[in-house]
Amino acid sequence: MNKINIAVPCYQYGHFLGDCLDSILEQDVPGLRVMVLDNACQDNSLEVAREHALKDARVHVTTHTRNIGATAIYNEAIDWASGDYFLLIDADDILAPGALTA
């Protein structure tokens, strides 16, 4: 089984994050693992991420107490990935239905 890791770096995109995560979790693919990387958000991003993690064991959340910048958060996402396939998607993007199927 292929493993697909999707990282979602987030800074102040709480109003988009739920739709982003829903679009990922609705993909019909096995071996999906999602990491939301909260970059010291001051909005409701962390709350949205944690709510999704409570509802779906495929979602994991990491958070920072200070903003480490885009490059560092992207590098952290890449370091986290261990699947056969990796997607880095911004929290204000969504995946079309079937985007991850062959």
Side-chain angles (χ1 to χ4, degrees), residues 45-84:
S45 297
L46 186 55
E47 178 183 333
V48 171
R50 286 182 173 159
E51 285 175 6
H52 277 77
L54 283 174
K55 293 178 190 173
D56 195 316
R58 299 174 294 175
V59 179
H60 308 273
V61 180
T62 186
T63 186
H64 293 275
T65 57
R66 68 174 180 81
N67 188 306
I68 62 172
T71 302
I73 204 83
Y74 291 160
N75 285 337
E76 182 179 337
I78 293 166
D79 290 343
W80 162 80
S82 63
D84 299 315

Side-chain angles (χ1 to χ4, degrees), residues 84-96:
D84 299 315
Y85 300 98
F86 173 66
L87 175 64
L88 183 63
I89 184 171
D90 290 323
D92 63 340
D93 292 333
I94 59 172
L95 291 178

Side-chain angles (χ1 to χ4, degrees), residues 1-50:
M1 173 182 358
N2 291 329
K3 293 183 181 177
I4 301 173
N5 295 168
I6 300 179
V8 186
C10 185
Y11 180 71
Q12 306 296 83
Y13 278 145
H15 54 288
F16 294 117
L17 182 59
D19 290 337
C20 176
L21 292 173
D22 289 342
S23 77
I24 294 167
L25 296 171
E26 290 169 359
Q27 299 293 315
D28 187 21
V29 294
L32 182 65
R33 188 171 70 131
V34 182
M35 174 65 78
V36 179
L37 299 102
D38 177 275
N39 203 359
C41 297
Q42 300 298 311
D43 65 356
N44 69 331
S45 297
L46 186 55
E47 178 183 333
V48 171
R50 286 182 173 159

